[in-house]
Amino acid sequence: MPLTRKAYRAAILHSIADPAEVGIEASYEYFEDGLLVVENGRISALGHASELLPGLPAGVQVEHYPNALITPGFIDTHIHLPQTGMVGAYGEQLLDWLNTYTFPCESQFADPDHANEVADIFIKELLRNGTTTALVFGSVHPQSVNAFFAAAEKLDLRMIAGKVMMDRNAPDYLTDTAESGYQESKALIERWHGKGRLHYAVTPRFAPTSTPEQLTLAGQLLTEYPDLYMQTHISENLQEIQWVKELFPERKGYLDVYDHYQLLGERSVFAHGVHLCDDECARLAETGSAVAFCPTSNFFLGSGLFNLPMAEKHKLNVGLGTDVGGGTSFSLLQTLNEAYKVMQLQGARLSPFKSLYLATLGGARALRLEDKIGTLHPGTDADFLVLDYHATPLLSYRLKQANSIAETLFVLMTLGDDRTVLQTFAAGRQVHQR
Ligand code: GUN
Ligand code: ZN
């Protein structure tokens, strides 16, 4: 394959560590006039334009963005493909919302044409919003995952997804069985896991919709294949937690159900965790599991406020999730806008650099992919964004008053959304242009 090399000149910012561990100043690198060099889908150099430009071989094209910020692509650690058509469904909290809106909407994925159509819309929406990697719930139907992976593969995206396993407490039209859920997951793993930049996640929906037999088989899949992911929901809503107690009276608590079936581990991501206790955070951290913080969803469904300081105290890996369609936006910028308010309501702060970390490197760490995505370090995948300082008249005017990259970043996260994302690149290829 011939060498393809291209360079991008702009203000460049990336997170290189968790501010909770190293302090804010050591957590990022910023180049006011930076250069990012991309070769064959990977980043080959990052630095000050003045230092790198003279050494750039003649003929390498340099794209210059005088009014933009280059960052790593965003990482969404929790989102539902089959809920694209029901974002913003009125009036209910989790359990009624699932029965009233979610299950009927997901049932449409029995039709492969529908699955293909929504997968295209969904991936375009991710890329329009600057999300280059997502951990995705399909529906119970294998075709939801086939449609998603086929669309992601065409663009060489780094994506993780799985077919929902649920064999009880859901309508008959939307359940599998312990055995069929296992076999269908296995077939999808054989077909997709490790193909290009695609990874499979074993996906029991949440404890109430799986029998002990199904949870056992989910755990078995994780031992049968190396490097599989596991994704599920935990402790999102108080009624849900009460229901889990009734269904699994022999277990110590919600997390202990998943622990018992050996679903915790370094590639396990638990969505929400709004009502986790100290011991549960400690156990999640001890097993290397991660939590997806989903603020727009937790507000929209009235679930509660995620306790990020408690997670930090336990050194628990936390990524950010939109949780569409419980969440109300595909935009991780808008998700960070709401995350800031979650902290404010608890008397805490969310610094813009911690926010950047959560949307990029923190997500990559939650997914154990920090050697491939989440930063702009040379050697990693060239998944990056060009964020436009002039995306809207208000943003443009507001940023004129910004005196530091910290302030610029915070304003981008407060006023920004899909309009802010001028271009999205994945494996060095432009996959979105506003
Ligand atoms: N718990 C179980 N299923 C779901 C879902 O689809 N969305 C959310 N937010 N929580 C869940
Ligand atoms: Zn969810």
Side-chain angles (χ1 to χ4, degrees):
M1 198 166 81
L3 183 73
T4 63
R5 183 154 36 189
K6 206 167 162 184
Y8 302 85
R9 181 176 182 180
I12 302 179
L13 174 69
H14 68 153
S15 189
I16 56 172
D18 185 349
E21 287 177 7
V22 302
I24 286 173
E25 287 314 311
S27 78
Y28 68 94
E29 268 186 327
Y30 175 59
F31 305 93
E32 194 174 344
D33 179 15
L35 195 77
L36 183 76
V37 187
V38 173
E39 276 181 37
N40 291 336
R42 297 239 173 97
I43 294 166
S44 62
L46 168 68
H48 296 285
S50 60
E51 289 172 15
L52 290 180
L53 280 172
L56 210 60
V60 174
Q61 196 188 338
V62 180
E63 209 70 61
H64 190 197
Y65 306 90
N67 293 300
L69 179 69
I70 289 178
T71 68
F74 297 143
I75 298 169
D76 186 342
T77 60
H78 184 65
I79 186 165
H80 297 258
L81 161 71
Q83 295 176 19
T84 307
M86 54 154 294
V87 181
Y90 176 78
E92 308 291 353
Q93 292 211 351
L94 179 65
L95 300 179
D96 294 321
W97 173 86
L98 283 172
N99 287 317
T100 311
Y101 299 113
T102 314
F103 294 152
C105 186
E106 294 197 1
S107 74
Q108 299 175 68
F109 278 69
D111 172 6
D113 289 341
H114 178 81
N116 288 328
E117 183 193 345
V118 180
D120 274 346
I121 295 169
F122 179 82
I123 284 185
K124 282 202 183 90
E125 206 56 40
L126 291 177
L127 299 174
R128 289 182 62 253
N129 283 281
T131 298
T132 47
T133 292
L135 175 57
V136 179
F137 269 62
S139 67
V140 75
H141 317 93
Q143 56 264 37
S144 65
V145 173
N146 283 325
F148 175 72
F149 277 147
E153 188 186 29
K154 277 191 205 141
L155 297 171
D156 194 14
L157 305 177
R158 189 171 289 287
M159 290 287 173
I160 314 168
K163 162 208 128 64
V164 158
M165 304 168 85
M166 68 176 165
D167 65 344
R168 67 167 169 175
N169 292 323
D172 288 344
Y173 61 76
L174 211 56
T175 46
D176 53 12
T177 65
E179 181 60 22
S180 73
Y182 170 83
Q183 293 298 348
E184 288 170 352
S185 300
K186 204 172 169 86
L188 289 167
I189 293 163
E190 296 281 350
R191 178 163 176 195
W192 295 108
H193 186 56
K195 194 167 186 207
R197 297 206 294 158
L198 307 176
H199 314 257
Y200 193 82
V202 174
T203 308
R205 179 172 213 117
F206 67 156
T209 48
S210 285
T211 57
E213 294 70 37
Q214 181 159 69
L215 294 173
T216 302
L217 288 174
Q220 190 178 314
L221 281 171
L222 297 176
T223 62
E224 285 178 41
Y225 294 88
D227 300 339
L228 277 183
Y229 289 88
M230 197 293 301
Q231 58 178 344
T232 190
H233 297 88
I234 193 165
S235 296
E236 174 179 5
N237 168 288
L238 295 174
Q239 269 186 316
E240 169 210 14
I241 295 168
Q242 186 53 39
W243 193 21
V244 172
K245 276 194 190 134
E246 291 161 17
L247 290 169
F248 297 91
E250 70 286 8
R251 302 267 67 90
K252 270 190 307 202
Y254 201 157
L255 183 69
D256 191 46
V257 175
Y258 295 135
D259 208 352
H260 178 77
Y261 293 101
Q262 297 178 2
L263 299 176
L264 278 59
E266 292 200 342
R267 284 179 174 71
S268 296
V269 179
F270 295 87
H272 305 292
V274 169
H275 305 285
L276 289 169
C277 65
D278 248 311
D279 285 355
E280 289 177 318
C281 282
R283 179 65 187 148
L284 284 165
E286 183 188 346
T287 54
S289 306
V291 171
F293 171 24
C294 306
T296 78
S297 170
N298 297 159
F299 277 134
F300 186 72
L301 294 178
S303 304
L305 304 173
F306 179 68
N307 190 338
L308 183 62
M310 178 160 89
E312 283 180 338
K313 185 181 81 183
H314 290 282
K315 298 190 172 16
L316 174 53
N317 278 329
V318 176
L320 210 58
T322 60
D323 192 31
V324 161
T328 48
S329 172
F330 277 79
S331 169
L332 283 179
L333 294 172
Q334 271 311 294
T335 303
L336 288 169
N337 182 18
E338 300 306 303
Y340 178 79
K341 297 168 193 171
V342 170
M343 292 304 108
Q344 279 281 42
L345 285 169
Q346 298 177 98
R349 289 284 171 279
L350 187 62
S351 99
F353 294 104
K354 178 73 187 200
S355 288
L356 176 69
Y357 173 79
L358 287 173
T360 58
L361 178 56
R365 285 186 174 167
L367 302 174
R368 307 286 162 175
L369 288 171
E370 66 270 31
D371 59 332
K372 300 199 168 59
I373 55 170
T375 69
L376 300 174
H377 287 311
T380 63
D381 299 353
D383 290 2
F384 63 96
L385 311 177
V386 180
L387 303 180
D388 179 8
Y389 287 157
H390 295 322
T392 67
L394 178 62
L395 184 67
S396 183
Y397 180 67
R398 175 63 182 86
L399 287 180
K400 276 192 204 144
Q401 338 287 323
N403 292 315
S404 64
I405 184 60
E407 191 178 349
T408 296
L409 184 60
F410 186 63
V411 170
L412 282 171
M413 288 161 173
T414 307
L415 298 183
D417 52 30
D418 54 338
R419 296 168 297 182
T420 316
V421 180
L422 181 66
Q423 293 172 342
T424 303
F425 291 83
R429 278 171 60 197
Q430 191 180 309
V431 288
H432 167 67
Q433 163 77 49
R434 189 187 65 207

